[in-house]
Amino acid sequence: MSESESSTHDLERGAASESLYNSTIKNLSWHDISVTVSDRKTKAPKQLLDNVNGEVKAGEILALMGPSGSGKTTLLNTLARRSTSSGSTTGTVLTNGTHLPQSAFREISSYVEQEDALIGSLTVRETVDFSARLSLAGVVTTRERLARVDDLLIAFGLTDQAHTLIGTPLRKGISGGQKRRASVAAQIITEPKIMFLDEPTSGLDSSASYEIISHLRSVGRRYNLLIVASIHQPSTSTFRLFDKLLLLSQGKTCYLGPLSDVTSYFESAGFPVPPQTNPAEHLLDITNSDFALNREQAQRDLDSIHATWKQQQHTVSFTSKEGIDQPAIAILENHSRRPDIFTIISALLLRMFIKSYRDVVVYGIRIAMYMGLAIMMGTVWLRLPTTQDSIQPFINAIFFGSAFMSFMAVAYVPAFLEDRATFVKDRANGLYGALPFLIANFIIGLPYLFLIAVIFSVIAYWLTNFRPSGEAFMLWIMWLFLDLLAAESLVVLVSSLFPVFVVALAIVAFANGLWMSVGGFLVSPTILNVFWKYVFHYIDYQSLATRPTSFKA
């Protein structure tokens, strides 16, 4: 690289850093947050959060910590406006001292799930780049977008892994810690000002956990972001990386303030940290009464901690609304900066195309399966003679080919569930909606399904000795293609409604068995039970594929 090119690259990286810098959002504060649900067994009200206050400022990273069931995930979801609780939520969440509409809040915030929802057949660089395409395409130039990607890969220490696959069940990829860093980088590239992370160190060892939080802290300070992360039992070194701590237990606040003051505060409250003990472990021990040998004493200690905090009257000083409204208005005006639907569909098509040819689970294995089915069918119904005795075998061959072609579409379930998980994450972060995702998913499958129909027909049609004419052959291909298209659409529908692999697989298999039964081949529609005939027979796409007879000998 020449000196001028190096200088240009440095300028682009500098511009990328400046564009990701948060100069708008100064603070996020919440006051008297309470969440109450109905107990499933007793139906009595159960309080998950009880008047919780807090604040995080630009450039700070706040840890939400507490034992299991303390309410930290509920609070995180409430602050991120993702509360899935069916109960009632009260309290106020303010951004720059004012309440933003849901749509505006999505523009400035991002949520990183506990489980990484990434496409395994993409590289680390492609993962971050596609997030940029879906949020910045048409807003920044291609060079600016690529400079931002490079900048974040360097910031998260992922440069050496930039061209390594995330990893699929059949191909090993990056480590768990690197995958978590890639997830965070893919969210930061969308220009959030506030980041919420649900246990970003879950499932990682102490070294990888330290690595994650260390990079998160440095990036947060570099871009002046507001970061709120729930965390469970961090190591001492990881714990010290946080700026603030909000300690919860049984839905109540045990401590809120700078991490540097937490040891002295609990010492003054009568719960000093023993020598050579991880402060985080000590705090979790004294705020958890579930596993104590003397539960009554542990509960009294916990009540004392709650009472001490309440008596101290530690409150969050909310930022005044005066002089803050203008940034909020600026946020609302920036809604139009998102790419249009055609740009989003183009980016999704490219992402799905890369996955389709890299991940053999998507179509590669299915093509091999259909070729095997074609060879089996062609050799079983091998060169049927064109006599009266062969009419029934010919009809059976038509039924078998169409029915089992659609039945084997169940192999698409795992690939679609991966795409759906990525879509759910992207939609929750405001990148795109269901319409562009479904359009892209439908379009990308068309050439592959047509290729499968052609390959299957080239083998099975001529071995079976169907009518040797181009018109009949193309009619066979057309009906098989439409049959496959309907079968794959059924997989998408069922997997969207029941996004659990085993459940979706079972329902799709059952539905295909049902279509075989009521299609009119095994039982004539004239004598089929009226319930099955009028409820299912007329919506059975397999019956349409077995109806044409122009390709029989």
Side-chain angles (χ1 to χ4, degrees), residues 5 35 47 83 101 122 133 135 145 149 151 164 183 220 231 237 252 274 321 325 378 381 403-404 440 468 505 509:
E5 290 175 335
V35 177
Q47 197 156 29
S83 180
L122 298 182
R133 288 171 183 261
S135 58
R145 189 192 77 238
V149 173
D151 193 57
T164 305
S183 293
I231 193 162
S237 56
K252 300 178 181 179
K321 292 185 180 181
D325 291 339
W381 283 272
F404 276 85
L505 194 70

Side-chain angles (χ1 to χ4, degrees), residues 493-508:
L493 174 63
V494 172
S495 299
S496 299
L497 296 175
F498 306 96
V500 180
F501 174 70
V502 176
V503 176
L505 194 70
I507 294 176
V508 173

